Amino acid sequence: MPQFSVRSWTAQEKQDAVNMEYEAFYASYPDRSKDSWRIMRNNLLRGKTSFVDKRINNGKKPFTVPGSLRDKISSGMTPDIVSAIAERENAAYEATSEIERLKAAHRKALRKLDDKDREQQELIEAVYQAAREAAAAIHIEPVKPPKHDNRKADDETAILLLSDWQLGKITPTYNSEVCADRIRQLSDKVQKLVDIQRKAHPVRELRIYLLGDLIEGEDIFPGQAHLVD
């Protein structure tokens, strides 16, 4: 049976493939199968380069016929070698294109995440800056230093637990002004209790523990944002 080649097409072969019918073409190039002539002719007429030529002309290693195709040739069957090669090359090309598309989509998603993260960081910095400016505007009266206690008795430490102020919450009987008034009352009572304890032993330290829920949230339940000031 004739031996068909898998090699790069010359310019003359391509021109003849377009200009000749297969019988005349085969007379000049007996190592080219009719299927390879048909595929090359169709590709050239559509302005395309065959996948086989792309592989060879790009300097890559020439395609080797797989063992399964060699077995078919040896058994007398006539497989469409060039079609198989073209199909295989086309599948690889499409897979590569899909990978590149996915990579591009991944890069685009990463850019969006970067933009989102940058916007979030800018928002956080704006909040911190507003908090710093607000704190700088607060005027706090100087605190008089306590009288020095020379007693040798063991010290005791005052402990103050703070929680559940829900500052900002609005109800018929509660708002930020009520919260501030209660904090002032608490401060006065702490001072009085510490003064009482100091009559028995030194109290030089007050530890304040913040247990949470000092500020009312706004997204714990639907409509909560409308119940804060």
Side-chain angles (χ1 to χ4, degrees), residues 205-217:
E205 183 180 0
L206 168 65
R207 295 186 180 182
I208 302 177
Y209 294 93
L210 308 179
L211 305 185
D213 282 337
L214 298 179
I215 307 296
E216 178 73 358

Side-chain angles (χ1 to χ4, degrees), residues 112-160:
K112 287 186 176 180
L113 286 176
D114 289 340
D115 293 341
K116 191 74 174 179
D117 184 64
R118 185 162 48 252
E119 291 175 1
Q120 183 176 8
Q121 292 301 322
E122 291 175 354
L123 177 60
I124 292 174
E125 179 56 32
V127 172
Y128 275 113
Q129 183 62 30
R132 286 191 291 265
E133 293 175 358
I138 297 175
H139 176 68
I140 300 176
E141 295 291 340
V143 178
K144 295 180 180 180
K147 295 180 180 179
H148 187 65
D149 193 337
N150 294 320
R151 289 178 294 176
K152 302 300 183 180
D154 292 338
D155 290 0
E156 285 198 3
T157 299
I159 303 296
L160 177 60

Side-chain angles (χ1 to χ4, degrees), residues 11-208:
Q12 185 61 49
E13 285 179 312
K14 292 179 180 180
Q15 181 177 349
D16 292 342
V18 174
N19 296 329
M20 297 180 179
E21 294 299 324
Y22 180 67
E23 289 73 17
F25 179 84
Y26 180 76
S28 300
Y29 309 101
D31 61 337
R32 296 292 187 188
S33 69
K34 187 172 184 179
D35 284 331
S36 66
W37 164 83
R38 176 180 51 79
I39 292 174
M40 176 58 69
R41 177 186 176 91
N42 290 339
N43 284 337
L44 291 173
L45 291 174
R46 290 195 302 265
K48 296 182 178 180
T49 303
S50 73
F51 294 106
V52 176
D53 282 351
K54 283 183 179 180
R55 187 180 185 90
I56 296 175
N57 292 340
N58 287 340
K60 298 180 181 179
K61 184 178 179 180
F63 180 79
T64 302
V65 178
S68 59
L69 291 180
R70 286 199 300 272
D71 294 340
K72 290 181 179 180
I73 294 172
S74 301
S75 65
M77 297 178 67
T78 308
D80 188 347
I81 299 176
V82 177
S83 294
I85 295 173
E87 182 178 353
R88 177 170 172 173
E89 293 290 315
N90 188 37
Y93 176 78
E94 290 178 354
T96 302
S97 299
E98 179 66 11
I99 291 173
E100 292 301 323
R101 187 189 67 79
L102 292 174
K103 285 182 177 179
H106 183 243
R107 288 192 295 268
K108 184 177 181 180
L110 289 178
R111 285 195 298 271
K112 287 186 176 180
L113 286 176
D114 289 340
D115 293 341
K116 191 74 174 179
D117 184 64
R118 185 162 48 252
E119 291 175 1
Q120 183 176 8
Q121 292 301 322
E122 291 175 354
L123 177 60
I124 292 174
E125 179 56 32
V127 172
Y128 275 113
Q129 183 62 30
R132 286 191 291 265
E133 293 175 358
I138 297 175
H139 176 68
I140 300 176
E141 295 291 340
V143 178
K144 295 180 180 180
K147 295 180 180 179
H148 187 65
D149 193 337
N150 294 320
R151 289 178 294 176
K152 302 300 183 180
D154 292 338
D155 290 0
E156 285 198 3
T157 299
I159 303 296
L160 177 60
L161 306 180
L162 303 180
S163 72
D164 294 281
W165 287 359
Q166 308 300 150
L167 177 61
K169 184 175 183 177
I170 301 175
T171 71
T173 60
Y174 189 75
N175 55 41
S176 294
E177 288 73 19
V178 174
C179 180
D181 183 61
R182 292 179 182 179
I183 293 172
R184 284 190 289 268
Q185 294 181 43
L186 174 64
S187 176
D188 294 340
K189 290 182 179 181
V190 169
Q191 182 65 53
K192 291 177 181 178
L193 290 173
V194 171
D195 288 343
I196 292 173
Q197 292 297 315
R198 278 178 174 157
K199 293 179 179 180
H201 40 253
V203 181
R204 299 188 176 93
E205 183 180 0
L206 168 65
R207 295 186 180 182
I208 302 177

